[in-house]
Amino acid sequence: ATIVFITRLLVARGKRVLLTSYTHSAVDNLICKLMDSGVTSGDYYPNPVVRVGRESSTHANVHRLLAHNIACEAESANSSQSSQSFTRPNADYLHNVLSSARVVGVSALTAPRSPLLAGQKFDVVIVDEAGQISQPAILGAIMAADSFVLVGDHMQLPPLVVSEVADQAGKY
């Protein structure tokens, strides 16, 4: 609830926000709460909230907010052949969808690798469940803005590290 409130406040002040977390489900939970709060209605921006990811790794409730789906819908709407539906949107439509978004949700590991986010700048990056993510894994996402907020609590599980060397070093 706090992250949604802060995000709504930042958007109301004209800021762009990148919402991220280690897991897709945490990002989707934030997006769903933003949807419930009315941020996705698009009063001032055509697509105020956009989710970067694949349908196979996102919650069904956010599929309509996936950048790919919004771009396909926009391209179909602007096509001279109204009966044609697009399954692969034009790069310009994808760029326009991302550039016009006030809030973009993406997992922390996808953020630096996604060509959709290349060159995109945000005013603030908010990292949910920051206690569960290692510092190197979040660097790519927080480089997209000058300011970032790490949200987590002392009772969260620590980062998952799969490494025999790290396991051995941690037993001292």
Side-chain angles (χ1 to χ4, degrees), residues 41-153:
S41 62
D43 294 334
Y44 301 106
Y45 303 98
N47 304 303
V49 179
V50 174
R51 176 70 162 91
V52 174
R54 293 174 293 180
E55 283 191 7
S56 61
S57 58
T58 57
H59 192 277
N61 290 349
V62 300
H63 286 178
R64 69 181 179 90
L65 299 177
L66 287 169
H68 177 273
N69 293 343
I70 294 171
C72 285
E73 186 177 307
E75 193 168 1
S76 293
N78 292 331
S79 174
S80 59
Q81 302 169 346
S82 60
S83 63
Q84 183 178 4
S85 66
F86 294 87
T87 57
R88 300 187 81 200
N90 181 306
D92 289 334
Y93 280 93
L94 280 168
H95 177 74
N96 290 341
V97 165
L98 264 294
S99 296
S100 67
R102 303 313 301 160
V103 178
V104 175
V106 64
S107 72
L109 296 177
T110 302
R113 299 182 313 172
S114 174
L116 294 176
L117 294 173
Q120 294 285 328
K121 287 301 284 178
F122 297 87
D123 297 303
V124 180
V125 175
I126 300 177
V127 182
D128 189 18
E129 297 181 349
Q132 288 187 323
I133 191 165
S134 65
Q135 291 171 349
I138 198 60
L139 285 176
I142 64 175
M143 295 299 290
D146 292 332
S147 300
F148 62 92
V149 178
L150 303 177
V151 181
D153 63 66

Side-chain angles (χ1 to χ4, degrees), residues 160-172:
L160 176 65
V161 178
V162 181
S163 166
E164 289 184 27
V165 174
D167 186 39
Q168 293 302 319
K171 291 188 177 187
Y172 291 112

